[in-house]
Amino acid sequence: MTRESQSTRLHPLDRTDRRILEVLQHDAGLSNQDLAERVGLSPSPCLRRVRALEQAGIIIGRVALLDRKRLGLEITALIQIGMDRHTPERFAAFEDAVSGYPEVQHCFLITGQAADYLLQVVVPDMDAYQDFLLRRITRLEGVSSVHSSFVLRRVVDRTALPLGYLPT
């Protein structure tokens, strides 16, 4: 089975599984005991369900979310990038390169725009952005155009996925 077909297959989830996912999306640092209390289970069945969700690939990791501004990362840029050739090798080389840049928070291969990629990048200031753009992005083989926009304010900034679409 291909990776793509595995990712599109739905794992059957009951109401308790969905509640576990909702709670963990908002606080992944909960102890199993606290999670079990919030979802109305005893600790052992709760832990079994979490492990089953991990084994099914639904829970793929747990992270600590950090405050960008308190860490001095004041600038969020959205960069549209056009490529000179649309070949698998060119795209793979670009994706491999930007995957190694810690400033890149998201990289999307897109359609419907003049650009091929949309990057979300965080840096401390405009000097750091200029350095990132000129020393890294524009030096990548195949990059033919770059258009930058800057986030003025985050109106919606969430990491939780909408679970209301899951079948019951």
Side-chain angles (χ1 to χ4, degrees), residues 2 5-6 13 20 23 27 32 40 47 51 54 66-67 73-74 94-95 97 103 126 128 130 145 158 161:
T2 66
S5 62
Q6 285 177 335
L13 300 174
I20 288 170
V23 171
D27 189 355
N32 183 58
L47 185 58
R51 286 187 177 150
E54 290 170 340
L66 308 179
D67 187 302
L73 297 169
E74 299 286 335
F94 176 83
E95 292 169 14
E103 297 88 351
M126 288 303 287
Q130 180 179 344
S145 66
R158 66 175 64 107
L161 295 175

Side-chain angles (χ1 to χ4, degrees), residues 22-81:
E22 287 172 4
V23 171
L24 286 177
Q25 283 192 104
H26 295 284
D27 189 355
L30 286 174
S31 69
N32 183 58
Q33 177 73 39
D34 290 338
L35 176 62
E37 288 175 14
R38 289 201 191 177
V39 300
L41 290 174
S42 60
S44 292
C46 183
L47 185 58
R48 279 194 297 275
R49 283 178 177 259
V50 170
R51 286 187 177 150
L53 292 166
E54 290 170 340
Q55 289 173 350
I58 294 170
I59 297 174
I60 57 174
R62 300 185 197 192
V63 299
L65 300 175
L66 308 179
D67 187 302
R68 291 171 176 90
K69 289 200 179 259
R70 290 183 186 219
L71 293 170
L73 297 169
E74 299 286 335
I75 303 289
T76 299
L78 303 175
I79 310 170
Q80 293 184 2
I81 296 179

